Amino acid sequence: MLSHEVKQSDALLDLRSYVGRFAPSPTGPLHFGSLLTAIASYCDAKANHGQWLVRIEDTDIPRIYPNSETHILSCIDAFQFEPDAEIIFQKDRLDIYEQVLEQLKQSQDIYACQCTRKMLGSNHIYIGTCRNLNLDFANQAIRLKVADQLICFQDRLQGQQCSNLQQDLGDFVLKRRDGIISYQLAVVVDDYLQGITHVVRGADLLDNTARQIWLGSLLGYPSLSYMHLPLAMNDQGQKLSKQNLAQALDINKAPELLQQAILALGQSKVELDQPRIMLQQAVQQWDVNSIPLGIHLAGTFQ
């Protein structure tokens, strides 16, 4: 039986100045799909007279790809994006996440879990095996309790989205047994601490949003506005990703790639120029309603 719904307040969002962000993970070099997200988040922030921040989401230290952070920063410079604050790195903020975990421990919203992947098998819904065991937190995974209720939000591109985390996922991990802080925890905390109001990112992260809304609500954080972009697909119908070995952005072709990405987002053409000038023109012409439902790319930009 569903209890009350967790919903966002659009009225509250309208009262706050726009602060957006681009938050890549250094698990590989930036590719064309990453560029689409960077441009969309930048243009949406600037077209709304807002700020645009950059955050490197590198808590999953074992998966950091050699030199990928350097490539990300080089791309920010080469495409002449201008962040409105110093770039932060999540690996430098682990003590902050631990403090939030302690807050959640005090409110009894988390618990230690000894279940391994082998124990869980193929069941993707966690049934709360360890929820009432009161295990010691040391050297265990830490899970967040979820409730049997509907979480809904209005995505600016994807429309109304609803999820019942208990039925769809179960209690989820905020810190792994090996000590790695989860993406879900770090992104929620940093969006709050950086004052983020609007999130523009790829649709592959759409199913993470209910988790993040739930965690933010438990912590008393303000609601955010979400816009999930259609994924860029290659000729084989696969999304451009590091796992599919998408081609790294060539910083020597920044103007050409920028022009292609702006067109792929369904926006009016900008003339080849310095990337800074091209971005200014893209901001002036920015139209969310023109973003296509799907983005299919020729092999050159894969």
Side-chain angles (χ1 to χ4, degrees):
M1 175 109 181
L2 296 180
S3 56
H4 66 284
E5 294 185 6
V6 177
K7 289 187 177 180
Q8 297 174 294
S9 172
D10 294 330
L12 289 176
L13 293 172
D14 292 340
L15 296 175
R16 290 183 282 153
S17 300
Y18 189 123
V19 182
R21 44 72 159 183
F22 175 54
S25 299
T27 51
L30 291 189
H31 52 75
F32 193 74
S34 312
L35 181 60
L36 294 173
T37 301
I39 292 170
S41 60
Y42 182 86
C43 288
D44 200 59
K46 295 303 179 180
N48 286 283
H49 311 290
Q51 293 183 303
W52 183 77
L53 311 182
V54 174
R55 178 172 72 229
I56 308 300
E57 298 193 330
D58 52 359
T59 58
D60 197 351
I61 296 171
R63 292 185 61 225
I64 293 177
Y65 190 82
N67 301 317
S68 57
E69 288 189 0
T70 300
H71 182 256
I72 291 171
L73 299 178
S74 296
C75 286
I76 297 295
D77 289 339
F79 288 89
Q80 298 181 352
F81 290 106
E82 297 178 347
D84 292 302
E86 182 179 357
I87 296 174
I88 68 170
F89 296 77
Q90 288 185 331
K91 68 174 179 290
D92 299 329
R93 301 164 64 81
L94 300 181
D95 59 330
I96 296 175
Y97 311 136
E98 292 291 346
Q99 291 171 21
V100 175
L101 284 173
E102 183 59 32
Q103 177 184 342
L104 291 166
K105 182 178 179 181
Q106 294 301 319
S107 61
Q108 299 185 336
D109 287 312
I110 57 175
Y111 60 91
C113 174
Q114 63 185 355
C115 297
T116 64
R117 289 186 179 181
K118 184 176 181 180
M119 291 167 62
L120 295 174
S122 59
N123 186 8
H124 70 283
I125 300 176
Y126 186 72
I127 59 173
T129 305
C130 297
R131 185 189 262 223
N132 299 315
L133 296 184
N134 296 316
L135 300 172
D136 190 279
F137 277 72
N139 303 313
Q140 303 284 15
I142 297 176
R143 288 186 183 269
L144 182 72
K145 297 176 183 177
V146 300
D148 184 16
Q149 62 191 70
L150 207 57
I151 298 173
C152 295
F153 66 99
Q154 186 69 26
D155 189 274
R156 293 168 59 203
L157 279 182
Q158 308 294 335
Q160 177 87 342
Q161 305 289 319
C162 292
S163 176
N164 183 312
L165 290 175
Q166 188 176 98
Q167 296 178 12
D168 299 339
L169 180 72
D171 300 337
F172 58 93
V173 173
L174 294 185
K175 183 180 180 182
R176 296 185 343 205
R177 184 189 304 273
D178 60 7
I180 298 296
I181 296 293
S182 81
Y183 161 73
Q184 309 296 347
L185 176 61
V187 70
V188 169
V189 172
D190 283 334
D191 279 346
Y192 169 68
L193 293 178
Q194 290 191 284
I196 301 301
T197 60
H198 291 67
V199 173
V200 177
R201 59 188 181 187
D204 54 335
L205 295 171
L206 188 60
D207 63 357
N208 288 274
T209 308
R211 279 175 270 183
Q212 293 162 16
I213 291 173
W214 174 248
L215 175 56
S217 71
L218 292 177
L219 292 168
Y221 294 170
S223 300
L224 305 182
S225 168
Y226 292 95
M227 181 165 72
H228 287 84
L229 304 167
L231 300 179
M233 312 295 284
N234 61 24
D235 291 336
Q236 288 74 47
Q238 302 170 318
K239 74 168 185 173
L240 294 193
S241 68
K242 297 153 189 171
Q243 289 78 12
N244 291 330
L245 304 178
Q247 181 177 322
L249 290 173
D250 184 348
I251 61 175
N252 296 313
K253 297 179 179 178
E256 294 83 1
L257 289 170
L258 197 58
Q259 186 182 61
Q260 176 74 9
I262 290 168
L263 289 173
L265 286 166
Q267 305 302 301
S268 299
K269 184 178 181 180
V270 299
E271 299 303 321
L272 283 175
D273 203 324
Q274 296 180 44
R276 183 179 295 107
I277 303 300
M278 297 173 70
L279 285 170
Q280 290 173 356
Q281 186 179 351
V283 168
Q284 293 169 358
Q285 301 172 164
W286 181 245
D287 180 9
V288 169
N289 295 322
S290 295
I291 298 175
L293 296 177
I295 299 176
H296 300 278
L297 304 172
T300 309
F301 299 98
Q302 294 175 21

